[in-house]
């Protein structure tokens, strides 16, 4: 199974900050990497697919990069509605696997 | 807009069974693979199972293999998860998810399954 490791597990940031979350796969997954946002009590929401492509309706302050084993999610200017938990997920092979999540909290 | 609505969750005793359903209100259900993803209380996301668009191919997490069965009825735009021999550790919110750009790309609101005596 492919292990997905996110870092950090949590972070505190202020509105307007630039935030970067990293995700590392235990083996190469090409660009088959997605990012999801989840707010408390809500279903996950898809943000990015194929490592760097924004889902429809996702604000442009979100961006993704990487290929192979190392990936990043960047929020260029953190907004109040962005405080949430973020998960990466590989869909290169089964079983699909998620990172453990990164909780973005208000400083 | 894709709308996925899960049903069938509830309280069940260890060793019991439950069948979850997920109805897709869109027009493209038959074209896409579907999945179930679960989230135990206070924990992260765990992929459970997936089924191809035709229903001919299925995959399962090791934690549920042999106990859970995924299926779909394309004439009813409905996905199912038959859960047998339930364990306390199966307690979670179960999300139905649809592939698209990414796999999954769309998520339902989830249904809570509680396994407890």
């Amino acid at each position: 199974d492919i292990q997905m490791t996110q870092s950090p597990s949590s972070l505190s940031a202020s509105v307007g900050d630039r935030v970067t979350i990293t995700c590392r796969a235990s083996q190469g997954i090409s660009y088959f990497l997605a990012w999801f946002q989840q707010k408390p009590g809500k279903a996950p929401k898809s943000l990015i697919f194929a490592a760097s492509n924004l889902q429809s309706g996702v604000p442009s302050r979100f961006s993704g990069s990487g290929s192979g084993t190392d990936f990043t999610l960047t929020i260029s200017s953190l907004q109040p509605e962005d405080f949430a938990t973020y998960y990466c997920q590989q869909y290169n092979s089964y079983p699909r696997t998620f990172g453990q999540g990164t909780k973005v909290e208000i400083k | 807009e894709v709308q996925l609505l899960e049903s069938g969750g509830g309280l069940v005793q260890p060793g019991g069974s439950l069948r979850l359903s997920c109805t897709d209100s869109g027009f493209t259900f038959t074209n896409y693979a579907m999945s179930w993803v679960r989230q135990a209380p206070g924990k992260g996301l765990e992929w459970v199972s997936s089924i191809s668009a035709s229903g001919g191919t299925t995959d399962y997490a090791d934690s549920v293999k042999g106990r859970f069965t995924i299926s779909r009825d394309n004439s009813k735009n409905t996905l199912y998860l038959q859960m047998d021999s339930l364990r306390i550790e199966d307690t979670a919110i179960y999300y139905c998810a649809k592939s698209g750009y990414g796999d999954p790309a769309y998520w339902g609101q989830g249904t809570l399954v509680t396994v407890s005596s």
Side-chain angles (χ1 to χ4, degrees), chain A residues 39-98:
Chain A
K39 297 181 180 180
K42 300 295 186 181
K45 173 187 174 182
S46 299
L47 295 178
I48 288 173
F49 66 96
S52 61
N53 295 272
L54 261 60
Q55 292 281 3
S56 175
V58 173
S60 59
R61 63 181 179 272
F62 290 92
S63 64
S65 65
S67 67
T69 60
D70 294 308
F71 302 87
T72 61
L73 171 70
T74 299
I75 308 172
S76 61
S77 178
L78 199 64
Q79 297 302 299
E81 60 268 30
D82 301 336
F83 292 95
T85 299
Y86 294 85
Y87 295 92
C88 64
Q89 179 234 7
Q90 66 82 18
Y91 56 102
N92 179 73
S93 63
Y94 288 103
R96 304 295 198 230
T97 44
F98 291 88

Side-chain angles (χ1 to χ4, degrees), chain B residues 14-90:
Chain B
S17 297
L18 213 54
R19 188 175 86 152
L20 306 183
S21 299
C22 169
T23 301
D24 181 357
S25 62
F27 297 98
T28 60
F29 179 78
T30 57
N31 296 341
Y32 293 97
M34 299 291 294
S35 299
W36 290 97
V37 177
R38 69 184 181 184
Q39 187 169 37
K43 302 297 185 182
L45 300 171
E46 179 190 15
W47 172 80
V48 173
S49 181
S50 293
I51 187 167
S52 62
S54 68
T57 302
T58 58
D59 290 275
Y60 298 92
D62 284 346
S63 57
V64 307
K65 200 172 294 182
R67 301 187 298 121
F68 289 12
T69 303
I70 192 171
S71 62
R72 65 191 294 164
D73 185 337
N74 284 347
S75 69
K76 296 182 178 179
N77 279 16
T78 302
L79 173 73
Y80 302 100
L81 185 67
Q82 177 66 42
M83 304 186 294
D84 298 321
S85 302
L86 281 161
R87 304 168 180 168
I88 291 174
E89 56 264 33
D90 294 319

